């Protein structure tokens, strides 16, 4: 059934989500994408969201929950991979109730274990192709040819603007304060798997697939 990826920013869960979606047909439910999609529709809710985000506030739990519920209902026949949700205890409880209404349940929750210093190193090594958006890590997942995008052959690999040390530190801090306690919550239910997120890309994939 459904999976959750819990982990701090830049821990590699986005990359692993893409691999799982491709291999096993999971529906990738990213709340960040949901917010962006809603804004793009220009709906009343989307306009309200745009305002709050422009003011530097992330979508409130209430709005995120509303969008999430709709998206779960639309994809109830699929196995869903939750990426970036839940972030807080109240969201974890909400998720349980919505899944129950839709006759679903969480099968497993993966916690991507990595410390803040290592994350920082990763982000400072992360580059994006300006032409096609492909993401590389010069340490763990470099392009085959130095400075050239594997995907499109572009030669303009740049660091992403929001990957500054300061922004990352604050996002990491909020992860450890708000989200990390969910680890115990799922551990007590016996559905938690701790993934060594310091391992290479392929090894992390193996750790996940082994318990699916
Ligand atoms: Zn490219």
């Amino acid at each position: 059934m459904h999976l959750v990826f819990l982990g701090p920013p830049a821990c590699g869960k986005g990359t692993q989500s893409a691999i799982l979606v491709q291999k096993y047909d999971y529906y990738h439910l990213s709340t960040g994408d949901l917010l962006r999609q809603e804004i793009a529709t220009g709906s009343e809710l989307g306009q309200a969201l745009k305002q709050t985000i422009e003011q530097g506030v992330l979508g409130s739990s209430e709005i995120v929950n509303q969008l999430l519920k709709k998206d779960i209902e639309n994809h109830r026949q699929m196995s869903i991979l939750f990426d970036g949700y839940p972030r807080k205890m109240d969201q974890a409880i909400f998720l349980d109730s919505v899944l129950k209404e839709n006759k679903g349940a969480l099968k497993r929750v993966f916690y991507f274990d990595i410390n803040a210093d290592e994350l920082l190193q990763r982000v400072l090594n992360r580059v994006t192709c300006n032409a096609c958006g492909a993401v590389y890590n010069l340490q763990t997942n470099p392009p085959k040819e130095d400075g050239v995008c594997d995907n499109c052959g572009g030669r303009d690999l740049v660091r992403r603007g929001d990957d500054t040390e300061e922004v990352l530190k604050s996002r990491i801090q909020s992860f450890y304060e708000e989200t990390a306690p969910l680890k115990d919550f799922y551990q007590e239910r016996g559905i938690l798997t701790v993934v060594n997120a310091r391992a290479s890309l392929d090894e992390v994939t193996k750790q996940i697939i082994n318990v699916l």
Side-chain angles (χ1 to χ4, degrees), residues 95-110:
L95 179 60
D96 281 339
S97 75
V98 176
L99 288 178
K100 205 172 162 195
E101 280 170 29
N102 288 279
K103 304 201 170 14
L106 290 179
K107 180 187 172 200
R108 197 130 281 276
V109 174
F110 293 91

Side-chain angles (χ1 to χ4, degrees), residues 129 131-134 136 149 151-154:
C129 172
C132 75
Y136 299 94
C149 176
N151 195 37
C152 76

Side-chain angles (χ1 to χ4, degrees), residues 43-63:
S43 70
E44 214 169 297
L45 181 63
Q47 284 170 4
L49 261 175
K50 196 175 171 209
Q51 273 186 346
T52 57
I53 289 171
E54 276 167 358
Q55 287 158 4
V57 187
L58 279 178
S60 71
S61 267
E62 202 185 317
I63 294 176

